[in-house]
Amino acid sequence: MLSARKAFLQEQCRIREQKLNEDFSYFRENAGSILLFGLSQFIAPGRGTGKPRSVPPAKAGVAPSLSSVFNRVDMLSTTKVLGSVIWEIAQPLLVTWGINRIKQWLFKPKKRRKS
């Protein structure tokens, strides 16, 4: 009985690992479009892709105030994610710019006098 349970759990682990690998490969392949979509939703949250969405029957009874709260929460989490991504991109650029400015300040070429 224990060996059958062990085999069942190993199979479940293999299936979940395969699903995670598929999800990560999807994110890796579509990272740019996902980031741009998140950025566009942050900039203009009311605009969609132009396709009307059908509301599932389970969510048809959700109050408008509740859905607007979720939109704010989604916007806040998107802002946090985009802020960290932008900071990670900007850090090397700022460091390089700062180093170049310090080099220019410290090692200015001296002006030659005309005789």
Side-chain angles (χ1 to χ4, degrees), residues 26-85:
Y26 173 79
F27 288 137
R28 197 176 317 120
E29 292 169 359
N30 299 306
S33 61
I34 292 172
L35 183 63
L36 289 176
F37 176 76
L39 182 62
S40 68
Q41 289 297 313
F42 173 69
I43 292 171
R47 298 180 184 224
T49 58
K51 299 176 187 175
R53 290 188 196 177
S54 60
V55 178
K59 295 199 176 205
V62 176
S65 62
L66 185 60
S67 65
S68 65
V69 170
F70 286 128
N71 288 339
R72 289 183 198 134
V73 171
D74 290 340
M75 186 182 279
L76 181 62
S77 65
T78 304
T79 305
K80 286 181 181 179
V81 169
L82 285 176
S84 64
V85 168

Side-chain angles (χ1 to χ4, degrees), residues 109-115:
K110 301 205 183 220
K111 294 182 180 180
R112 295 183 184 178
R113 290 185 180 172
K114 292 185 178 181
S115 316

